[in-house]
Amino acid sequence: MTKTSSSLHDLGVAQLSRALAAKEVSSLEVTQHLLARVTAADALGAFLHVDEAQALAAAQAADARRAAGETGALIGVPLAHKDIFVTRDMPTTAGSKILGGYLSPFDATVVARLNAAGTVSLGKLNCDEFAMGSANENSAYRPVMNPWDHDRVPGGSSGGSAAAVAARLVPGATGTDTGGSIRQPASFTGITGIKPTYGVCSRYGMIAFASSLDQAGPMARSAEDCALLLSAMSGFDERDATSIQQAPQDFHAQMLQAREGATAAQPLKGLRIGLPREFFPEALSADVNSAVRQGLAELEKLGATLVDVSLPRTELAIPVYYIIAPAEASSNLSRFDGVRFGHRAAQYDDLLDMYKKTRAEGFGAEVKRRIMIGSYVLSHGYYDAYYLQAQKLRRMIADDFQQAFTQCDLIAGPVAPTVAWKHGEGKDDPVKAYLADIFTLPGSLAGLPGMSVPVGVGEGGMPVGLQLLGNYFKEGQLLHAAHALQQATAWHASAPGGI
Ligand code: GLN
């Protein structure tokens, strides 16, 4: 064993995979080391559930697979799952009291596939209730601290996943992104995350928030780590009616695929990166702007050319999303009625009273707000004025992207208008939080793949992410560009102080 125990947590997914293959370390050793870190870092609030016994058994099983000659890249790699994925052997809460005590009879497809690939699950990660939020302050259990500054939020809704990866508690984690919940927390914590094209990862067993938007994806230290995880997580699943029927993808191979005309010094030669002028408004904070420009300048050095494009309906993405997502949520969340899952009110008069009390007790304020908005915009008389209009605009937003992609291969801009804010800020003003989603919502509404890649720090030394968006099924191109950037720079390798 040549790796010292103190450096084990510094290894990302790909590095750890190589160390495991070279028998420099065993999965059991690294799992034990990370479990101790998870316990020591409990104050971060990243985990909602840890299962040591199960993790150690999975690590031993992975070591046995490697000893028997199996070579899968992820065999023995520890990770943890956002608590929105159902798991058979661990409780699932979706960050909500209404699912308190719920145990799923099956694993989500994403979890089952990662298990089959040999990953070792340490537990379930904190998140905003039903993935609604941008700060992880809507978790019914506890807030999550940003490992870079405990006074600040980690972003949301995959805040537990982001904090756990940034704090080096796990090399990778699963997340979900409905309107930015992989990209924004990745940006706020200095890690790398990718939301693939809608339909690339199965939604089976991923508790539904807004079904036409929800997508799973990996959160890790680097594009290479994400490529390895996404290859295992994705693929057609007949149990999800919106799953894309395509052959399994090797995103790692796609990431390495050299561009035509590329050179060693200019791996991105010929790549046209579009900068939508609406993604650089006056209101964009100066620190975020300068970090993003710094990242773009590096991409230029690597051979990319920057072109001016327009996404004219960017601002409209906010009202469109905050009509469609609550509309779908109000329908999806009707299943939590105290009859089938989790919590049921202790005292009630009759069936209707049981529903009412269970839902009043079980759902938090933000979830109730969205159920109200969603029911309103779907109701007779308002459907045409709100929901239908929003659907029409959604199509136009998607068309705007297609127009932009006639001029460029990828689109780039900030992930969020600011760095991570302080706990409590914005909590009393939901609309302020909604407005901060402006740059992630358009890509989500269009169903496009998107990434957050660290490109430096801003105010208070907080990380800033560069958002890269690709056309449908261009995950390989996105990962290739992000990987080239990470080969040439070290932003993605910097860890919060004291780690
Ligand atoms: N912040 C957005 C919301 O609150 C996005 C959440 C998500 O992507 N799950 O809905």
Side-chain angles (χ1 to χ4, degrees), residues 360-426:
E361 291 167 10
F363 289 137
E366 182 61 25
V367 173
K368 287 176 182 160
R369 182 178 298 123
R370 302 218 187 176
I371 292 173
M372 305 265 287
I373 296 171
S375 307
Y376 179 83
V377 300
L378 289 175
S379 61
H380 182 72
Y382 295 107
Y383 181 95
D384 289 354
Y386 293 102
Y387 184 71
L388 202 61
Q389 286 293 97
Q391 289 291 13
K392 288 179 180 167
L393 278 164
R394 181 179 188 177
R395 160 56 56 197
M396 292 165 97
I397 289 167
D399 289 346
D400 288 346
F401 274 106
Q402 290 315 305
Q403 182 60 37
F405 281 126
T406 62
Q407 294 161 265
C408 60
D409 305 298
L410 298 179
I411 285 173
V415 173
T418 63
V419 294
W421 54 85
K422 298 252 167 78
H423 283 286
E425 276 177 28

Side-chain angles (χ1 to χ4, degrees), residues 244-489:
I244 302 289
Q245 295 213 27
Q246 61 177 9
Q249 308 267 321
D250 182 345
F251 293 108
H252 192 256
Q254 292 180 25
M255 178 196 85
L256 294 174
Q257 183 79 44
R259 296 179 55 79
E260 227 182 270
T263 64
Q266 296 220 300
L268 302 183
K269 203 168 172 178
L271 184 77
R272 298 164 307 162
I273 299 181
L275 305 186
R277 58 196 83 110
E278 297 80 5
F279 277 27
F280 296 89
E282 289 283 300
L284 180 64
S285 64
D287 57 336
V288 170
N289 188 33
S290 79
V292 165
R293 302 279 176 189
Q294 185 169 273
L296 293 170
E298 284 297 329
L299 290 166
E300 267 187 302
K301 274 194 223 160
L302 296 169
T305 47
L306 305 181
V307 297
D308 185 31
V309 297
S310 177
L311 293 171
R313 293 174 186 85
T314 296
E315 275 188 17
L316 288 173
I318 298 169
V320 168
Y321 173 89
Y322 280 100
I323 287 171
I324 293 176
E328 294 185 19
S330 69
S331 167
N332 276 324
L333 269 51
S334 63
R335 62 170 64 89
F336 303 106
D337 55 7
V339 176
R340 287 161 292 186
F341 313 99
H343 176 75
R344 178 182 299 172
Q347 281 173 358
Y348 45 86
D349 299 333
D350 54 22
L351 183 63
L352 194 62
D353 192 45
M354 191 278 280
Y355 291 157
K356 283 187 189 165
K357 289 207 170 108
T358 297
R359 288 167 69 84
E361 291 167 10
F363 289 137
E366 182 61 25
V367 173
K368 287 176 182 160
R369 182 178 298 123
R370 302 218 187 176
I371 292 173
M372 305 265 287
I373 296 171
S375 307
Y376 179 83
V377 300
L378 289 175
S379 61
H380 182 72
Y382 295 107
Y383 181 95
D384 289 354
Y386 293 102
Y387 184 71
L388 202 61
Q389 286 293 97
Q391 289 291 13
K392 288 179 180 167
L393 278 164
R394 181 179 188 177
R395 160 56 56 197
M396 292 165 97
I397 289 167
D399 289 346
D400 288 346
F401 274 106
Q402 290 315 305
Q403 182 60 37
F405 281 126
T406 62
Q407 294 161 265
C408 60
D409 305 298
L410 298 179
I411 285 173
V415 173
T418 63
V419 294
W421 54 85
K422 298 252 167 78
H423 283 286
E425 276 177 28
K427 240 203 137 184
D428 305 322
D429 186 356
V431 175
K432 199 174 148 202
Y434 298 171
L435 292 176
D437 291 339
I438 183 163
F439 304 129
T440 50
L441 298 180
S444 295
L445 288 165
L448 295 167
M451 288 189 78
S452 177
V453 188
V455 284
V457 293
E459 184 243 316
M462 297 305 291
V464 176
L466 171 76
Q467 180 173 213
L468 291 173
L469 293 164
N471 211 341
Y472 301 111
F473 307 113
K474 297 292 186 192
E475 287 80 10
Q477 209 175 46
L478 277 177
L479 291 162
H480 182 78
H483 181 60
L485 182 68
Q486 294 183 337
Q487 293 291 99
T489 60

